[in-house]
Amino acid sequence: MTDDAAETLAVDEFVEYCRTQAGLLSGSVETMGKEADELLDEIDQEMAEIRSRLEALPDGVEGTETPSTADVPDASEVDVAAIEELQEELEEKQLLVEAKQTRMQAFQELAAGYTELAEELAATADDGRDALTRIVEFEADADAPLYFDDERETMVEVAAESAETDSE
């Protein structure tokens, strides 16, 4: 973005940009929350499946030990192996939920940062150039482009592209 363009834009437009970015991030958090809820529902279902399988096992079965009388495992040992496989799947899903929760927190923090910046710009920015500079610095410090898909360009990306074009 050129200096002339920054001068013609009002601070209010940069404030609105920050609010829009915060809104988009909040929408992403909501989507991730729904995905995490779906995973948690699957975990609950798998836990119920494991519980019912464990309850169906004979009392004497403790694990997947090698049968003492034959090379073919009996039905209870097959059930234990299936239960262990379900448990591994369950653990993987739990890790996915934890990763989603961590990602959601990072998105929420960036959204809060945009909201705070919008308030600061509305209260203290001298002009469009000052607002643009502060947004670009904020986005660079927060690695903001990483949080948006390829269709959404941040100010720091636009500024970097402009700087590359100007230097050519």
Side-chain angles (χ1 to χ4, degrees):
M1 184 174 282
T2 64
D3 288 341
D4 293 337
E7 288 176 12
T8 60
L9 293 173
V11 172
D12 290 344
E13 293 176 71
F14 290 109
V15 169
E16 185 59 32
Y17 166 82
C18 289
R19 290 182 179 146
T20 299
Q21 296 295 81
L24 291 171
L25 291 165
S26 294
S28 294
V29 169
E30 186 176 315
T31 300
M32 286 183 272
K34 289 177 184 176
E35 293 169 355
D37 288 344
E38 289 171 8
L39 280 171
L40 289 170
D41 289 343
E42 289 176 26
I43 288 170
D44 287 343
Q45 290 171 354
E46 289 179 17
M47 289 292 291
E49 174 70 19
I50 290 171
R51 267 190 233 104
S52 68
R53 286 188 181 198
L54 285 173
E55 289 170 0
L57 289 175
D59 292 335
V61 177
E62 293 183 18
T64 56
E65 297 176 9
T66 307
S68 58
T69 58
D71 291 335
V72 180
D74 64 24
S76 64
E77 291 171 351
V78 172
D79 285 344
V80 172
I83 291 170
E84 288 176 347
E85 186 176 319
L86 278 174
Q87 184 177 354
E88 287 176 18
E89 291 173 15
L90 180 68
E91 289 170 359
E92 288 175 16
K93 286 184 182 178
Q94 287 171 329
L95 290 174
L96 283 173
V97 169
E98 289 173 16
K100 280 198 181 293
Q101 290 171 335
T102 300
R103 191 165 185 240
M104 288 168 58
Q105 182 177 354
F107 273 63
Q108 288 170 329
E109 289 172 3
L110 183 59
Y114 270 114
T115 301
E116 290 172 16
L117 180 59
E119 292 171 8
E120 289 174 22
L121 293 177
T124 64
D126 297 329
D127 55 24
R129 178 178 291 165
D130 179 41
L132 174 64
T133 300
R134 289 163 66 179
I135 290 171
V136 169
E137 289 172 356
F138 168 79
E139 289 181 341
D141 290 344
D143 290 327
L146 299 176
Y147 293 80
F148 297 96
D149 60 26
D150 294 336
E151 296 174 16
R152 181 74 181 178
E153 225 175 11
T154 60
M155 291 288 181
V156 72
E157 290 172 308
V158 172
E161 289 172 9
S162 178
E164 287 176 15
T165 303
D166 291 347
S167 68
E168 292 176 359

